[in-house]
């Protein structure tokens, strides 16, 4: 008996090391080599994380004892997030990383809602700073650790260096801000952003539509900067000069000195435009440009990487200079009107404190494209996911809208925003493909000029400030859709109650008046008719006075403009349009209040139709010795030259338009009316009324 006990102990002790289970598997192998037969499953020992096979019926007992189940590669997709949260791209990197993490949370909730809670997306975060060599090093480490799917990197220089390794290791990459044309290649790298040939073509078109000025480019000397500069030169018909700078050592003063010398050589500075192809360092260029007198006498523009760059508005001097030189940047747009976009926008605003650029929404959509591809392919294999992405994209409507990819796997977009700095804040106006004629619609009479000192200057130029499409909303001003719906419901109920009370009151009043009338008719005796007097010659009758509201009177322009705003404020609510009086003067003038209102109304309604959601419409007035000039300005898509010529004429059905009636009324008052429009930056209506002698 004693020997039997000793033998049993020895066998148990030996088995504890060898750990041979009933399925015949030893613990000196990895989970990849452990294959359990039917009715057995793999669990990991708590002491050394060694995989063993146990009966399926006993799995729960083992879990209670501290054993763990393997993470199924089919149920969990690890995504490497390659965003630069420090350095020259930190603004876009921070907001994009936040958007991606938000999307991962949202998609995991989606998996639970469709009873796929066993599946999940797992973020693997690495902190970058746009250094290509460091990015490649970090990707290699993550790949060794089992990460094969990535969102990012953000810059073309990083992606260009990473591409050979990604191709050789069959990595799947979705970039959300790399735009270099040289990377437009059919491979396992997708880009939810249009390449720079679109941006170059659009910038060139805007410049050409506004007089084809000489363009002086400050270019970041890397694959992205040179690629975009070359694309501009190829698409632009005017003269382009280029000054490259080293992003690691920009030498701001030396570079700007060279630039100022080029500007000085031009006979007409109004014919010169400076373009900056750079990242966050663009703020430093603007800051240092202040000390060069000639550089604040010309118009500046940036590129997609400058749009919403917080470094430009965080410094008051830089922001002021940016506004003075009418600094603008274009960037592809997201789908503002969709409920999904509004939901994501509100989440990001709470965390960021400002509304992000389009890159953030691209990062959000990239996560969902990967997640939906995992569901569609039922796999996390990068090659399998890559094959599923094109089909998934065609059926997915995200924060960017309906996604379309070209043969190179890059986003096709014909919808762009113009970002501008106004009073220390970024604002944007939207423009898009019109009537299938290309990215832009040509407007022949636009000019590029320096912004005039007078804010009431009637000339509309490219430098005229774009209006905010983002309302200056604080956290306390934002309300949830549920709160908004409740408020609307309460208002509707109140309106119904008030209307009922009013109707009842009117009925009671009418009934009382009828009763009073009948009573008076009964009690009052018929008057005795008097004899008719001898007719006398009738005097010439005085003209019957017009109703008060139609009489010319001395009125305040401020009052009439505020009346226009009040009258049309409900019209603006459907698009959240900012509608305001931007005039500086309050002029006393003799005019017909009713006619002025009838002139304004068609102009304001036309402006409303031209602007998109969160647009801006300004009305105002100015005067000179002889005339008072009223205006209505918007930041909409603009009006083509051909359509401008037809605005104040009868339509195709030979009926008078509202604008035609406005013209007739203006001309009856001895004034004139006209329209000016600049490509994608807005339309301005003007009309004059002569001052009384």
């Amino acid at each position: 008996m004693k020997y039997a006990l000793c033998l049993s102990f020895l066998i148990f002790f030996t088995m504890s090391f060898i750990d041979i289970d009933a399925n015949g598997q030893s613990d000196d192998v990895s989970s990849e080599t452990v294959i359990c037969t039917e009715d057995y499953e793999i669990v990991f020992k708590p002491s050394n994380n060694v995989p063993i096979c146990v009966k399926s019926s006993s799995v729960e007992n083992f879990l209670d004892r501290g054993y763990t189940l393997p993470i199924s590669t089919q149920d969990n997709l690890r995504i490497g997030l390659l965003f630069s949260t420090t350095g020259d791209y930190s603004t876009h990197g921070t907001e994009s990383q936040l958007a991606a993490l938000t999307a991962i949370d949202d998609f995991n909730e989606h998996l639970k809602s469709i009873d796929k809670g066993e599946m999940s997306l797992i973020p693997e975060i690495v902190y970058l700073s746009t250094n290509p060599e460091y990015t490649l090093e970090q990707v290699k480490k993550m790949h060794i650790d089992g990460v094969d799917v990535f969102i990012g990197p953000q810059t073309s220089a990083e992606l260009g260096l990473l591409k050979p390794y990604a191709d050789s290791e069959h990595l799947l990459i979705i970039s959300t801000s790399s735009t270099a044309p040289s990377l437009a290649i059919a491979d396992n790298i997708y880009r939810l952003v249009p390449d720079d040939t679109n941006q170059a073509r659009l910038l060139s078109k805007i410049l050409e539509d506004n007089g084809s000025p000489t363009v002086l480019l400050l270019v970041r000397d890397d694959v992205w900067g040179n690629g975009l500069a070359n694309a501009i030169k190829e698409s632009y018909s005017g003269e382009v000069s280029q000054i490259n700078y080293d992003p690691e050592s920009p030498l701001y003063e030396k570079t700007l000195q060279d630039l100022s010398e080029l500007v000085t050589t031009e006979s007409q500075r109004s014919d010169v435009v400076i373009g900056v192809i750079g990242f966050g360092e663009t703020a430093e260029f603007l800051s240092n440009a202040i000390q060069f007198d000639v550089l604040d006498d010309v118009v500046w523009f940036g590129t997609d990487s400058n749009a919403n760059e917080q470094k430009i508005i965080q410094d008051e001097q830089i922001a002021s200079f940016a506004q003075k030189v009418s600094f603008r940047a274009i960037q592809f747009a997201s789908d503002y009107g969709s409920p999904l976009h509004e939901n994501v926008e509100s989440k990001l605003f709470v965390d960021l404190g400002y509304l992000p650029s389009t890159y953030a929404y691209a990062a959000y959509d990239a996560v969902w494209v990967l997640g939906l591809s995992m569901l569609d392919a039922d796999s996390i294999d990068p090659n399998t996911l890559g094959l599923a992405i094109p089909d998934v994209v065609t059926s997915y409507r995200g924060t960017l809208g309906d996604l379309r990819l070209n043969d190179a796997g890059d986003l096709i977009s014909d919808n762009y925003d113009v970002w501008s700095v106004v009073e220390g804040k970024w604002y944007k106006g939207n423009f898009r493909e019109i009537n299938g004629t290309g990215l832009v619609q040509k407007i022949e009479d636009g000019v590029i000029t320096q912004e005039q000192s007078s804010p009431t200057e009637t000339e509309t130029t490219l430098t005229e400030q774009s209006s905010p499409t983002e309302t200056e909303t604080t956290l306390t001003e934002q309300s949830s859709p549920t709160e908004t719906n409740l408020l609307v419901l309460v208002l509707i109920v109140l309106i119904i109650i008030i209307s009922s009370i009013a109707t009842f009151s009117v009925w009671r009043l009418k009934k009382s008046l009828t009763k009073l009338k009948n009573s008076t008719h009964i009690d009052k005796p018929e008057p005795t008719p008097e004899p008719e007097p001898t007719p006398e010659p009738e005097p010439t009758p005085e003209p019957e006075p017009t109703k008060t509201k139609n009489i010319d009177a001395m009125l305040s322009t401020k009052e009439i403009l505020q009346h226009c705003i009040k009258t049309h404020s409900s019209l603006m609510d459907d698009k959240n349009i900012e509608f305001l009086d931007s005039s500086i003067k309050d002029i006393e003038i003799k005019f017909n209040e009713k006619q002025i209102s009838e002139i304004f109304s068609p102009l304001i309604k036309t402006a409303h139709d031209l602007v998109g959601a969160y647009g801006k419409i300004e009305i105002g007035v100015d005067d000179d010795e002889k005339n008072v000039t009223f205006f209505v300005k918007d930041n909409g898509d603009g009006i083509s030259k051909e359509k401008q010529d037809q605005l104040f004429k009868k339509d195709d059905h030979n009926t008078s338009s509202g604008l035609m009636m406005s013209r007739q009324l203006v001309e009856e008052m001895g004034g004139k009316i006209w329209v000016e429009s600049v490509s994608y930056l807005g339309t301005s209506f003007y009309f004059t009324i002569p001052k009384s002698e």
Side-chain angles (χ1 to χ4, degrees):
M1 184 66 178
K2 181 189 298 185
Y3 293 107
L5 290 172
C6 291
L7 182 61
S8 300
F9 178 79
L10 181 62
I11 294 172
F12 176 79
F13 183 80
T14 304
M15 291 295 293
S16 67
F17 282 96
I18 301 175
D19 205 357
I20 303 287
D21 63 19
N23 197 36
Q25 295 291 342
S26 66
D27 67 358
D28 60 347
V29 293
S30 65
S31 61
E32 287 80 5
T33 60
V34 174
I35 302 176
C36 300
T37 59
E38 189 177 0
D39 296 330
Y40 282 81
E41 295 183 25
I42 294 177
V43 295
F44 289 88
K45 296 175 63 176
S47 59
N48 52 14
N49 206 36
V50 170
I52 62 173
C53 293
V54 300
K55 286 187 176 182
S56 301
S57 59
S58 304
V59 169
E60 291 187 5
N61 293 332
F62 277 86
L63 296 179
D64 292 338
R65 292 161 53 189
Y67 287 71
T68 57
L69 292 171
I71 299 175
S72 173
T73 58
Q74 292 297 320
D75 294 342
N76 296 272
L77 176 61
R78 299 170 66 191
I79 303 175
L81 302 182
L82 306 177
F83 298 113
S84 299
T85 54
T86 61
D88 295 331
Y89 222 78
S90 58
T91 292
H92 298 310
T94 300
E95 61 189 29
S96 295
Q97 180 170 289
L98 177 61
L101 292 172
T102 301
I104 288 174
D105 289 341
D106 290 349
F107 190 83
N108 286 338
E109 287 298 318
H110 170 68
L111 290 173
K112 294 177 183 178
S113 69
I114 61 174
D115 296 327
K116 296 287 187 178
E118 74 280 1
M119 306 176 71
S120 65
L121 304 182
I122 302 175
E124 302 287 347
I125 301 174
V126 59
Y127 298 96
L128 306 175
S129 61
T130 71
N131 183 296
E133 289 78 14
Y134 183 76
T135 300
L136 176 59
E137 178 185 342
Q138 295 303 307
V139 169
K140 288 181 177 180
K141 290 180 179 179
M142 297 177 75
H143 176 50
I144 293 173
D145 192 42
V147 181
D148 300 319
V149 178
F150 298 86
I151 297 178
Q154 293 180 280
T155 71
S156 296
E158 294 172 277
L159 188 61
L161 186 62
L162 176 59
K163 177 176 167 53
Y165 180 78
D167 290 342
S168 65
E169 299 298 322
H170 305 288
L171 305 182
L172 175 61
I173 296 175
I174 300 181
S175 179
T176 57
S177 57
S178 167
T179 57
S182 60
L183 297 174
I185 304 170
D187 50 18
N188 225 29
I189 298 177
Y190 295 89
R191 299 192 290 182
L192 288 190
V193 58
D195 74 63
D196 280 332
T197 55
N198 275 13
Q199 182 175 192
R201 181 156 58 99
L202 184 54
L203 285 170
S204 299
K205 197 67 172 178
I206 292 175
L207 292 167
E208 291 168 357
D209 289 347
N210 291 276
S212 298
T214 298
V215 178
L216 308 180
L217 294 177
L218 289 181
V219 181
R220 183 183 175 96
D221 194 7
D222 61 16
V223 63
W224 168 74
N226 288 309
L228 179 52
N230 291 334
I232 292 174
K233 292 176 181 178
E234 291 176 2
S235 59
Y236 185 50
S237 60
E239 183 180 349
V240 180
S241 297
Q242 178 175 338
I243 299 177
N244 281 33
Y245 67 88
D246 182 358
E248 299 299 322
S249 180
L251 299 175
Y252 299 108
E253 292 190 11
K254 174 64 170 62
T255 303
L256 290 169
Q257 180 63 48
D258 295 341
L259 181 65
S260 65
E261 292 175 0
L262 287 177
V263 174
T264 305
T265 61
E266 298 292 331
S267 58
Q268 296 291 329
R269 293 178 188 172
S270 59
D271 295 332
V272 178
V273 173
I274 296 174
V276 184
I277 304 179
F279 297 159
E281 69 272 11
T282 299
E284 292 295 329
F285 276 118
L286 295 175
S287 176
N288 284 271
I290 297 173
Q291 60 185 298
F292 297 91
D293 293 338
V294 297
L295 297 183
D296 64 2
D297 286 337
V298 295
V299 175
W300 290 58
F301 71 87
T303 62
D304 56 336
S305 295
N306 302 132
N308 205 39
E309 174 56 67
Q310 296 300 297
K311 296 175 183 177
I312 293 177
I313 62 174
Q314 287 170 350
D315 186 287
E316 185 176 344
Q317 278 193 320
I318 299 176
S320 177
F321 181 82
Q323 179 169 345
K324 184 177 182 181
V325 299
S326 300
F327 185 83
R328 283 185 172 82
I330 67 169
Q331 189 181 73
F332 74 108
S334 50
D335 186 16
Y336 306 119
S338 71
L340 175 61
H341 184 282
E342 293 178 357
N343 177 264
V344 175
E345 179 181 77
S346 63
K347 290 180 179 179
L348 297 181
F349 179 78
V350 170
D351 291 323
L352 292 171
Y354 64 89
L355 296 175
S357 68
T358 312
Y359 292 146
Y361 300 107
Y364 184 94
D365 284 350
V367 170
W368 274 79
V369 167
L370 286 174
L372 293 173
S373 297
M374 177 183 68
L375 289 175
D376 184 73
D378 192 24
S379 171
I380 65 164
D381 176 71
N383 293 316
T384 306
L385 290 176
L387 294 173
I389 284 177
D391 290 335
V392 168
V393 164
T394 59
S395 60
Y396 170 69
R397 180 176 179 85
T399 60
L400 296 179
D402 294 322
L403 303 181
R404 296 179 296 156
L405 301 179
N406 58 23
D407 293 340
D410 299 338
L411 182 69
I412 300 172
S413 178
D414 49 28
N415 196 2
Y416 280 77
D417 289 323
V418 175
W419 292 76
S420 57
V421 178
V422 182
E423 297 179 355
K425 296 183 176 68
W426 279 107
Y427 293 119
K428 61 183 176 183
N430 186 255
F431 55 94
R432 61 191 59 82
E433 182 179 6
I434 302 174
N435 298 328
T437 59
L439 277 177
V440 297
Q441 183 179 41
K442 186 175 182 179
I443 297 181
E444 297 177 349
D445 61 348
V447 294
I448 294 181
T449 113
Q450 186 62 23
E451 184 175 2
Q452 304 298 320
S453 57
S454 172
T456 58
E457 189 70 41
T458 58
E459 182 181 4
T460 306
T461 70
L462 182 62
T463 62
E464 185 178 25
Q465 295 299 338
S466 296
S467 314
T469 64
E470 304 164 358
T471 53
E472 299 173 17
T473 309
T474 63
L475 292 178
T476 57
E477 293 172 334
Q478 285 194 338
S479 59
S480 65
T482 303
E483 294 170 339
T484 302
N485 294 336
L486 182 59
L487 180 60
V488 172
L489 181 60
V490 171
L491 289 174
I492 292 173
V493 173
L494 287 174
I495 291 171
I496 293 173
I497 294 173
I498 294 171
S499 300
S500 302
I501 294 173
T503 302
F504 180 73
S505 300
V506 171
W507 177 79
R508 288 282 302 273
L509 180 61
K510 288 183 177 180
K511 186 175 181 181
S512 300
L513 290 174
T514 302
K515 185 176 180 180
L516 179 62
K517 181 180 179 180
N518 293 337
S519 174
T520 304
H521 178 75
I522 293 171
D523 297 337
K524 186 176 181 180
E526 289 287 337
T528 304
E530 297 181 2
E532 294 183 5
T534 305
E536 296 181 2
E538 295 183 2
T540 303
E542 294 287 335
E544 186 177 322
T546 312
K547 294 181 179 179
T548 304
K549 65 178 181 179
N550 292 327
I551 295 179
D552 289 348
M554 296 301 296
L555 295 174
S556 161
T557 58
K558 204 69 165 177
E559 291 178 356
I560 195 65
L561 293 177
Q562 288 301 316
H563 175 72
C564 286
I565 291 174
K566 183 179 180 181
T567 303
H568 296 88
S569 59
S570 60
L571 177 66
M572 307 302 169
D573 292 343
D574 65 337
K575 296 182 180 179
N576 293 312
I577 295 173
E578 185 180 5
F579 186 37
L580 71 158
D581 172 16
S582 64
S583 55
I584 299 177
K585 299 180 179 180
D586 184 15
I587 306 168
E588 292 286 333
I589 183 176
K590 188 176 184 180
F591 59 71
N592 189 305
E593 183 179 5
K594 181 175 181 294
Q595 287 186 339
I596 290 291
S597 298
E598 291 175 346
I599 294 170
F600 261 113
S601 184
L603 303 180
I604 294 172
K605 290 178 181 178
T606 301
H608 167 272
D609 294 338
L610 291 172
V611 301
Y614 297 102
K616 184 177 181 181
I617 297 175
E618 301 174 74
I619 60 176
V621 64
D622 196 7
D623 70 332
D624 54 32
E625 293 182 358
K626 296 183 179 180
N627 300 299
V628 174
T629 301
F630 294 91
F631 61 82
V632 178
K633 299 180 180 181
D634 67 66
N635 70 323
D637 294 335
I639 305 173
S640 67
K641 180 64 176 177
E642 294 74 17
K643 290 185 178 180
Q644 290 180 40
D645 296 337
Q646 303 298 319
L647 283 177
F648 302 108
K649 301 179 180 179
K650 293 184 178 180
D651 60 24
D652 296 336
H653 302 287
N654 202 35
T655 58
S656 298
S657 66
L659 294 177
M660 181 179 177
M661 297 301 295
S662 295
R663 187 194 73 180
Q664 291 175 344
L665 289 170
V666 169
E667 292 176 350
E668 288 175 4
M669 301 171 73
K672 62 178 182 178
I673 187 171
W674 70 97
V675 62
E676 297 178 359
S677 192
V678 177
S679 306
Y680 321 109
L681 298 182
T683 299
S684 299
F685 289 98
Y686 301 92
F687 66 92
T688 62
I689 296 177
K691 291 183 177 179
S692 301
E693 299 294 336

